[in-house]
Amino acid sequence: MARSAVKNFMENRIRVRFAPSPTGLLHVGNARTALFNFFFARKKGGTFILRLEDTDMERSSAEAEGAILNDLKWLGIDWDEGPGQPGEHGPYRQSERLETYRRYGGELLKKGEAYRCYCTPEELEEKKKRSLARGIPPKYDGRCRNLSAEEERSFSAAGRPASLRFKVEARTVEFQDLVKGKVSFDGQGIGDFIILRSDGVASYNFAVVVDDALMQITQVIRGEDHLANTPRQLLLYKTLGFLPPQFAHLPLIVGPDRAPLSKRHGTTAVAHFREEGYLAEALVNYLALLGWSSEDAEEIFSLEKLIGKFSLGRVSRSPAIFNYEKLKWVNRNHMKGLSGEKRLELAWPFLKKKGINVDDVGVAWLNTALETVWEEVDNLNQLADHLTVFFEDGWKMDPEAQDLLQKEEGRRVLKGLIDELRTVEEITPENYKLIIFSLAKRAGLSGRGLYMPLRAALTGKIHGPELEKVFVLLGKEKTLKRAEAALAKAE
RNA sequence: GGUCCCAUCGUCUAGCGGCCCAGGACGUCGGCCUCUCACGCCGAAAACACGGGUUCGAUUCCCGUUGGGACCA
């Protein structure tokens, strides 16, 4: 095994992995880790592996796994090995690899690199508390490290469950992190740690090492929260006889208070950003910008372009605060580039969800309507609100608009408009200018004096899209109806 | 408590000893465009945490302090 890892390394056959726990929705921090692994693999022509760390049976679920897979696909991430993509290093769920961990654990026990520990969780907890109270680092005291055969026998006869502990010899552990640079740990602080729990399930550190080694991972790209686990893992690699991979620890994504990003900071789940109407490519783009920058200072890119530009060397070392405002800006930029067809396809479910009557308005009309409000919104979810003004229900007269119509000039404009409209068949982009020109002459007004009462009467608001669009989208019938209603109300 | 990581405008960042009285982007403010809002364009304010070294010269290297964070849990 070690030899093929060396071979991969020498031949520069990159193998990276993303290993989420299926305990909930994929959040942006993990998504960013997945993305960086994916970028790196694709850029280098390597293999991207997806592995589920589901040894915590209590908290893991098939639903969560399905949701995570779905979110990854939505983001545009696909994996070469993993669930649904059989490879020669499977299975890719830790719950299906329990035997393997036990086998390696047994080997360490046999070689004397690990020992059975009969301490109960209560005893351990008690010791920890006492250490903390006395201000000493809470480190396992090695109580069971040198049990006599007799003691062992009596413990096991008493039916005390045993976990397996790894013997840590105090020494300095150093490694070159691809992001952090040289990192060095004082081995004194590391106590003998559990590799197999008394129920036979592998501990996190042990399972990860066995899996990464067996799956021949060449670069472990993960969150900085695992940095302090690395020396333990390195010790395991060495003792197990595996060649360790390179490590790259990504800075954390935090909230405005610099605490790790969590729900209380707002939306954090990829699925929720999708529901709020953010484009996958925009979210990917923004996430890439958190903790990474392109050489040429460009900020808007497609997934393809991102892959081309990505490099671990340009990942920053300090944590980044998630900024919703900038995400909105990135999203607007991605929305801009979309074709009419794509816009319609993306907007459809969001309009439907908000109760907009998309089925009877006609595709051509809807296209024009979308085009009109498209640049006004930050995300797909806001579309419906901006469109309500073109529908009979859902629009209402704002007080400011009403005030504007109380003036004599306002009423004059409305009367004129009604007369003008009665002379035309329908409002089209072509005759719109003629209508306005003629109305201006009739009312003796121009500019604001002319346009604002029109806007107020037709949209009920003093801000909104271009009036020409409003006229055309409303059509003669609705325009007339609204003008008449407004006039009646103003008198 | 120990170990470890981090520290440039409000935010994301560029900077890998002189190009920097620090550049870009979001946001903010002002102007232009314009029937309004938005878009777009133009402009402004805004930062090297602090203290020691090293050096002819430090944002950049070293040490300490402070602050934030992770892990041991």
Side-chain angles (χ1 to χ4, degrees), chain A residues 373-388:
Chain A
V373 300
W374 199 258
E375 303 247 307
E376 295 176 0
V377 302
D378 299 320
N379 57 48
L380 267 15
N381 212 23
Q382 292 172 0
L383 244 21
D385 291 340
H386 288 250
L387 286 174
T388 51

Side-chain angles (χ1 to χ4, degrees), chain A residues 244-268:
Chain A
Q246 291 183 296
F247 291 93
H249 287 96
L250 309 174
L252 260 28
I253 297 177
V254 297
D257 56 359
R258 306 230 168 238
L261 194 67
S262 75
K263 271 136 284 178
R264 75 195 155 81
H265 293 117
T267 308
T268 57

Side-chain angles (χ1 to χ4, degrees), chain A residues 165-183:
Chain A
R165 261 183 208 279
F166 180 67
K167 280 188 190 168
V168 176
E169 303 303 338
R171 60 182 146 175
T172 305
V173 181
E174 276 185 358
F175 63 98
Q176 194 68 28
D177 190 277
L178 263 20
V179 172
K180 301 280 181 189
K182 189 174 155 186
V183 181

